Amino acid sequence: QRKDAELTLSKLNYIYPENEEIHRLLSKLALEDGNTAIAVRESEALLALQAGDPADTHYQLARALQAAHRPNEAKEQVILALEAAPDFKPAQQLLLQLSQ
């Protein structure tokens, strides 16, 4: 039913384009399913909406970019996450992974 959920959330994006939770859920589902293009797009939408915690949003985008095999862009996003929250442990760990 995950594919149905992704399809439904994608359709809801057209109706409620500024709904943060829809973008967040769709990004999470897409990343878990390996659909990195959608995960990146939805994380970028959250940044554009200036939604929620900027550190977490940059971190989630970095994870999606890493999964999409775009390490330089992922590294930029994880650095932005750490600028917003220097003690953010998951972002610190991701930066270490990307630096190796």
Side-chain angles (χ1 to χ4, degrees):
Q1 293 179 344
R2 295 176 68 82
K3 292 294 180 190
D4 291 339
E6 284 182 44
L7 181 61
T8 300
L9 289 169
S10 292
K11 289 178 181 179
L12 284 172
N13 265 340
Y14 290 107
I15 300 167
Y16 305 106
E18 294 183 13
N19 186 301
E20 298 171 16
E21 192 59 26
I22 293 171
H23 291 290
R24 196 174 319 283
L25 286 171
L26 184 53
S27 177
K28 181 182 177 204
L29 283 174
L31 186 58
E32 289 172 358
D33 287 345
N35 194 337
T36 57
I38 291 176
V40 168
R41 182 191 70 208
E42 295 305 313
S43 293
E44 288 174 338
L46 285 167
L47 280 177
L49 291 171
Q50 298 178 345
D53 176 13
D56 185 60
T57 305
H58 282 288
Y59 170 72
Q60 295 303 330
L61 177 54
R63 288 183 58 226
L65 288 165
Q66 180 190 30
H69 306 289
R70 296 162 58 183
N72 292 333
E73 294 171 80
K75 196 172 188 179
E76 289 175 21
Q77 291 301 317
V78 80
I79 288 170
L80 290 170
L82 288 169
E83 285 178 359
D87 293 334
F88 190 22
K89 298 287 184 210
Q92 291 172 348
Q93 292 172 345
L94 183 55
L95 181 59
L96 286 174
Q97 287 176 352
L98 292 168
S99 297
Q100 294 175 350

